[in-house]
Amino acid sequence: MSARDPIAHVRAETCFVDDIPEPQGTLYAAVFGSPVAHGVVCVLDANAATAAPGVAAVFTAGDIPGENQVGSMVADQPLLAADRVRYVGQPLAIVVADTPTRAHQALENITLTIDKRPAVFDPRQAAENGDLIGLPRTIAMGNVDAAWSQCATIVSGRVDSGGQEHLYLETQAALAIPRPCDSMHIFSATQSPSSVQRTVARVLACPMHAIEVEVQRVGGAFGGKEDQATTWAALAALAAHRLQRPVKLVLDRHADMQMTGKRHPYTSDYRLGLDADGRFLAFQATYYQNAGAVADLSTAVLERSLFHATNSYAIANVRVTGMCCRTHLPPFTAFRGFGAPQAMVVIEAAIVAAAETLNVPAWTLQQKNLLHGGDAFPFGMRMQGDTPQRSFDAAVSRFHVRSRLADIERRNAASTFVKRGLAVMPVCFGIAFTTTMLNQAGALVHVFVDGSVSVSTAAVEIGQGVATKLRRMVATALGIDPTRIRIENTSTARVANMSPTAASSAADLNGAAVRLACGTLLQRLKTVAAGIQGVPAGQVTIRDGRVWIDDAPSPLVWDALVQAAHRQRVDLSAHAFYATPKLHYDRQREKGRPFAYHVCGTAVVEARLDALRGTASIESVEIVHDAGRSLDPLVDRGQVEGAVVQGIGWTILEELMVDPDGRLLTDTLSTYKVPDLDFSPTTIEVVFLDDTADPGAVMASKAVGEPPLMYGIGAYFAIRAAIRAVRDVPAERIRLPLTHARILQLLEGE
Ligand code: LUZ
Ligand code: MOS
């Protein structure tokens, strides 16, 4: 059974990094993080820690043989802080000991003298101070300034959305094992093995070929291990290199929550203008992204926010500006949706404000302004297909939006304390890495002489089912049973220069590469079969594990064919490479075609409010979603359901709280609430659109990982609608998450 088998996973038989049998002599690392949000390091005294029982060594910045640098997009992030610290929890030193407990105990013996400096946590404040990462970016289309005078209605307001803890089941972890001849083998829980490889080589001043990074199966990531798994792997590698012993570093949940970055909080201003018919004429917004202390992926996240500013809507005049604001918090990072949710919630807030001003149902404004095929996005690309409308219309009729709204109004009028609310949430999400060069993948397929097949790609199985999809693709391509196929661990020694498993694109990119490799193998095998059968190769197909000649089964089965090919000295291995065609983007002009295609859908979300207690729950989420021709409907359904619950968690439940000194208060599962089964909607119905085959994706399937998260935004507006059945609450100031405490405040008039 493959290590990535989903059944083994459900049985908890999956081997995470911390479950890998440790080589003899393995040591354990614990990380000493900054106790202050901003300061100049005067003295870091590790003598007592070094002398503590069981401690092998303490390493600080001075022990790094190569560059003290882990920044991926901008070189602004030391592996170990040297003279200045910029956030609470920033790694300053690691202790390596013979047991994890002793390593942790010795942390207490490190003393630090630090000169505290003023810290900034508010992105608007950082922007005012001019403390930005990169330059502000503006994407525009039409003429916004001229359009305002033609608007019959103009609404404006502010939207603040909070961060979100990834809460992957497996915490950040790495095991670094020195090998002979100055090389090292690293097991890392990462979405980006090549990033780990490259950074470790940089830190250790060695060639990348000396570092093999291997990933078996990651216990969840959600973006939190796209960039941020690298630090922990590099720290383990540093210690392993210095001590020439295997070193394991596994963050405990507490340290993980304190030290790692989360979804970016945003604070944004918007203005939306409508004509007398309710058509959106002009939209303007400014997004202040709280980037945290270093760049990490913030600039790419901001770019995706700008690309999704108008969600599923066609607006002729748009100008949106965003900036990455540097604050003294842990670096905020990739999180499922990657800046798109933060932008979509702004346009949805604007629409709700307009609907409340005009006293019309928000869904009618949404519907009137949906994108049609051929409509331009502000960044120059055009919408292909009509899935925004098709999904919207299907959701409105199938889930009876009209009659339910009328019914809700009746029931709300008849009930003093229990109020209901309903929201429709369309989503239009661009598929591809916005950083064009990342849209590439390699694959290596071996056919062994017993007929079994091994597949290596850049895809990391993080629980999203990519291994299941790849196996299905290979089975279909080669015409053999999926049980004959093993999806291998992801290793930098088998596939080089991998892009991260991210941007919902792992199955698209790696699947396309794998199918190219299978095509090469098939061609060779068909030639062999044709020779054996004495027919032209064009008449040969392989299916159900056997050779067919012109649709008639031949006696030649797969295993015999493979053995014959081997005897004839035919290469039974193939490597292939795929780069998504036709992608380009010009950052000077802010125009281009950053996406291969869009994934669209519409959700109907119903909430129930107990206005006496100030509590609310999401009763149902009903979705019409475009998955193209799904490679595995069960996997896709699971992705949609999980994303929806995670999205609802972001909008109404999960709240990060930081004290005035920049210390995370919600750093345990007792203080940071995440969705559980009880919190989840009673009903999540997912209807897949059919007939939406898209040439942009592999086998006409469509990416599914991220888009459904944004259906969760509907939860906010459904509860808001229920609250408005109790009292009028102004729409100019929207604040997420809409927690129970916040609901109570709104019910009581702040
Ligand atoms: N990561 C990235 C992503 O580097 N670029 C992207 O565009 C992206 N989009 C979604 C999630 N991760
Ligand atoms: Mo991601 S947010 O696709 O790492």
Side-chain angles (χ1 to χ4, degrees):
M1 206 190 308
S2 159
R4 297 171 170 213
D5 195 297
I7 293 171
H9 189 56
V10 170
R11 288 195 191 120
E13 289 164 5
T14 301
C15 186
F16 295 147
V17 170
D18 203 17
D19 304 315
I20 296 171
E22 293 152 15
Q24 201 165 22
T26 296
L27 298 170
Y28 305 87
V31 185
F32 179 77
S34 169
V36 304
H38 188 200
V40 173
V41 179
C42 304
V43 186
L44 192 158
D45 183 353
N47 287 328
T50 309
V55 171
V58 178
F59 296 115
T60 59
D63 297 302
I64 294 170
E67 255 186 284
N68 183 13
Q69 186 54 248
V70 297
S72 57
M73 304 193 73
V74 181
D76 68 348
Q77 186 175 4
L79 174 62
L80 290 167
D83 39 16
R84 189 178 284 264
V85 288
R86 298 178 190 277
Y87 61 91
V88 173
Q90 182 172 11
L92 275 157
I94 51 168
V95 176
V96 187
D98 58 357
T99 70
T101 309
R102 284 169 136 184
H104 278 101
Q105 280 167 348
L107 291 177
E108 312 277 322
N109 300 327
I110 295 178
T111 54
L112 182 67
T113 319
I114 207 157
D115 182 10
K116 265 207 209 177
R117 295 294 158 90
V120 173
F121 308 114
D122 172 21
R124 287 181 193 254
Q125 182 65 53
E128 207 165 286
N129 300 347
D131 205 356
L132 301 182
I133 294 166
L135 295 171
R137 286 179 64 177
T138 297
I139 295 181
M141 173 170 71
N143 188 338
V144 174
D145 297 322
W148 299 120
S149 64
Q150 291 151 35
C151 294
T153 308
I154 296 176
V155 291
S156 61
R158 168 173 167 169
V159 179
D160 289 13
S161 62
Q164 187 173 23
E165 162 64 41
H166 299 88
L167 212 88
Y168 25 67
L169 270 183
E170 180 186 23
T171 56
Q172 302 279 357
L175 170 62
I177 306 165
R179 285 200 292 216
C181 306
D182 296 325
S183 80
M184 190 170 316
H185 189 191
I186 300 171
F187 291 97
S188 167
T190 179
Q191 291 171 251
S192 188
S194 288
S195 302
V196 172
Q197 180 195 23
R198 186 179 196 165
T199 300
V200 168
R202 188 177 189 179
V203 164
L204 299 185
C206 69
M208 282 173 75
H209 70 52
I211 308 296
E212 179 183 354
V213 178
E214 182 167 359
V215 183
Q216 303 196 121
R217 191 194 212 281
V218 175
F222 309 112
K225 296 164 182 171
E226 180 173 342
D227 228 37
Q228 297 211 357
T230 301
T231 289
W232 321 106
L235 288 172
L238 169 66
H241 171 78
R242 295 297 306 243
L243 296 165
Q244 286 300 305
R245 296 263 298 269
V247 173
K248 184 152 98 174
L249 197 171
V250 179
L251 292 187
D252 61 38
R253 180 66 63 188
H254 205 58
D256 192 304
M257 290 177 84
Q258 286 172 330
M259 292 179 163
T260 66
K262 307 164 199 318
R263 183 190 295 287
H264 292 82
Y266 274 49
T267 168
S268 311
D269 300 317
Y270 70 80
R271 199 160 185 232
L272 175 69
L274 301 81
D275 71 11
D277 292 331
R279 250 169 255 290
F280 304 158
L281 281 187
F283 179 65
Q284 181 179 318
T286 306
Y287 309 95
Y288 301 90
Q289 177 202 64
N290 191 339
V294 297
D296 191 273
L297 294 164
S298 295
T299 52
V301 170
L302 182 77
E303 181 171 60
R304 189 173 275 280
S305 301
L306 295 176
F307 288 157
H308 292 84
T310 52
N311 190 13
S312 303
Y313 308 105
I315 312 178
N317 304 287
V318 176
R319 186 172 61 227
V320 288
T321 298
M323 60 203 91
C324 304
C325 308
R326 193 191 298 278
T327 60
H328 295 96
L329 291 168
F332 292 102
T333 192
F335 195 131
R336 205 172 192 175
F338 206 76
Q342 292 96 319
M344 287 186 190
V345 73
V346 174
I347 182 99
E348 294 303 325
I351 294 169
V352 165
E356 290 174 9
T357 302
L358 296 168
N359 203 21
V360 296
W363 73 269
T364 59
L365 290 184
Q366 291 171 318
Q367 189 177 43
K368 198 170 286 183
N369 289 281
L370 290 170
L371 285 159
H372 291 70
D375 284 341
F377 290 96
F379 48 91
M381 190 173 170
R382 286 182 185 278
M383 181 68 203
Q384 278 178 295
D386 54 2
T387 50
Q389 293 162 71
R390 276 190 56 198
S391 66
F392 198 98
D393 295 346
V396 165
S397 66
R398 188 171 184 130
F399 306 131
H400 314 288
V401 165
R402 261 174 223 278
S403 57
R404 274 165 70 190
L405 279 170
D407 184 48
I408 284 171
E409 205 171 316
R410 262 195 311 276
R411 289 168 71 181
N412 282 351
S415 163
T416 313
F417 294 122
V418 174
K419 305 286 187 183
R420 283 166 187 274
L422 182 143
V424 182
M425 181 64 206
V427 169
C428 180
F429 189 87
I431 300 302
F433 287 92
T434 63
T435 305
T436 301
M437 64 144 297
L438 291 175
N439 295 288
Q440 54 173 304
L444 178 64
V445 179
H446 296 313
V447 181
F448 296 102
V449 288
D450 67 351
S452 68
V453 176
S454 131
V455 177
S456 297
T457 70
V460 173
E461 177 59 54
I462 50 184
Q464 84 283 45
V466 70
T468 304
K469 287 188 173 182
L470 288 173
R471 185 183 284 126
R472 181 147 310 176
M473 284 187 240
V474 173
T476 310
L478 297 181
I480 57 175
D481 196 81
T483 56
R484 307 301 303 277
I485 299 156
R486 181 183 188 85
I487 305 300
E488 265 294 348
N489 292 351
T490 314
S491 161
T492 56
R494 279 189 294 272
V495 177
N497 309 318
M498 304 185 234
S499 291
T501 287
S504 306
S505 298
D508 277 18
L509 295 173
N510 295 284
V514 141
R515 285 178 54 81
L516 288 173
C518 289
T520 303
L521 288 167
L522 264 185
Q523 216 44 54
R524 294 180 196 149
L525 287 169
K526 281 182 187 173
T527 305
V528 172
I532 294 171
Q533 301 289 322
V535 297
Q539 291 178 11
V540 175
T541 53
I542 303 173
R543 145 165 78 85
D544 302 330
R546 123 178 357 261
V547 169
W548 295 58
I549 312 290
D550 282 338
D551 277 338
S554 85
L556 185 58
V557 295
W558 168 261
D559 293 8
L561 173 61
V562 167
Q563 280 143 25
H566 184 58
R567 276 195 304 275
Q568 292 178 27
R569 298 189 292 171
V570 169
D571 184 1
L572 290 173
S573 298
H575 169 266
F577 176 80
Y578 178 77
T580 316
K582 291 189 269 187
L583 300 181
H584 57 89
Y585 196 73
D586 179 345
R587 293 212 172 121
Q588 247 44 61
R589 293 173 50 239
E590 295 287 10
K591 297 285 176 209
R593 188 175 182 277
F595 301 122
Y597 58 96
H598 282 82
V599 165
C600 304
T602 302
V604 177
V605 183
E606 185 167 338
R608 179 184 186 277
L609 170 74
D610 181 333
L612 185 62
R613 294 175 182 79
T615 58
S617 57
I618 300 304
E619 301 284 280
S620 65
V621 181
E622 295 155 296
I623 301 161
V624 176
H625 182 82
D626 178 19
R629 197 171 301 147
S630 178
L631 288 167
D632 190 322
L634 207 56
V635 167
D636 285 356
R637 186 171 299 273
Q639 284 293 298
V640 174
E641 290 176 354
V644 163
V645 172
Q646 202 164 31
I648 298 174
W650 174 58
T651 55
I652 71 168
L653 179 68
E654 301 179 44
E655 187 167 32
L656 294 167
M657 287 196 249
V658 174
D659 77 7
D661 294 322
R663 193 168 294 113
L664 183 67
L665 292 169
T666 48
D667 60 357
T668 64
L669 292 181
S670 55
T671 50
Y672 185 78
K673 287 282 182 212
V674 292
D676 56 15
L677 215 50
D678 186 50
F679 168 86
S680 301
T682 319
T683 307
I684 303 179
E685 189 179 339
V686 188
V687 177
F688 290 111
L689 273 184
D690 45 27
D691 295 331
T692 60
D694 189 293
V698 63
M699 292 175 77
S701 68
K702 283 183 182 164
V704 72
E706 295 172 285
L709 182 132
M710 283 146 278
Y711 295 137
I713 293 170
Y716 180 96
F717 294 102
I719 296 177
R720 178 183 166 80
I723 293 171
R724 278 174 49 87
V726 179
R727 71 181 302 151
D728 234 1
V729 285
E732 310 91 59
R733 185 76 199 269
I734 295 283
R735 196 135 52 93
L736 283 71
L738 186 52
T739 58
H740 287 172
R742 186 86 190 112
I743 289 170
L744 211 51
Q745 278 176 347
L746 290 176
L747 285 170
E748 314 219 315
E750 298 286 321

